Amino acid sequence: MTIDTAKLRIELYPTDVLKTKADPVKPDAQVREVAMRMIELMQGAQGIGLAAPQVGLSWRLFVAHVPPDPDRDQDNEPNDNPSQLPISCDSPMVFVNPIITEFAGDLEPYDEGCLSLPGITGEVNRPSIVTMQATDLDGNEVTLKATGLLARCWQHEIDHLDGILILDKMTQMSRLKNRTRIKSMEKAAKR
Ligand SMILES: [Zn+2]
């Protein structure tokens, strides 16, 4: 199967591929080309993460770019502490067949959005620290630990690979708040 990456677009809820558990993928030239296109789409939409099902491909792959938060007071960060976990990454990264191998820290609430759910944000509780195992585009295994927004982003993207959306995880209050918008997206898809 040859994929015309120029034709890839961000798929919107409630399309089926977003609700489908994705299959493992073997990185090759085409997978690399798709990943590069996904980074382009993610950046064009000002997102911090994008999973393959969001461009219509049922693959276990996601891209992420969580830049440092300029509003964070850098002076309060223990910069010279070698045990400090990464909370951001300086360049976009691609993760193939990722799995979370360890959850740690307290469950923390945060208002999440999703490029497949424009106009919707909802509060989702997630563990604050995760360890993820994946391969890169060359097939090299990587194990990374993250906290903060980066940890949250990874969990959100891996949920996509299992057909899970923030709609499935957000608090009851958030679900109520977004009820009208969700209904209108479902209606628009039927037209
Ligand atoms: Zn999403």
Side-chain angles (χ1 to χ4, degrees), residues 49-51 54 113-117 156-157 160 164-166:
L50 187 67
Q54 291 182 277
C114 179
L115 294 178
S116 295
L117 292 160
H156 176 118
E157 300 313 326
H160 273 302
I164 295 165
L165 298 172
I166 54 171

Side-chain angles (χ1 to χ4, degrees), residues 9-75:
R9 294 284 180 271
I10 296 177
E11 300 281 341
L12 301 183
Y13 174 82
T15 191
D16 280 344
V17 67
L18 291 173
K19 299 179 216 158
T20 308
K21 194 173 158 77
D23 297 318
V25 64
K26 199 173 165 1
D28 60 15
Q30 175 154 268
V31 170
R32 179 181 297 271
E33 204 189 317
V34 165
M36 294 308 120
R37 172 68 175 147
M38 284 172 62
I39 288 172
E40 198 176 273
L41 288 168
M42 170 182 72
Q43 291 177 331
Q46 282 166 357
I48 60 169
L50 187 67
Q54 291 182 277
V55 297
L57 297 167
S58 211
W59 292 355
R60 302 193 77 80
L61 176 155
F62 75 88
V63 299
H65 186 199
V66 179
D69 182 352
D71 295 336
R72 259 183 112 100
D73 187 352
Q74 297 292 334
D75 295 341

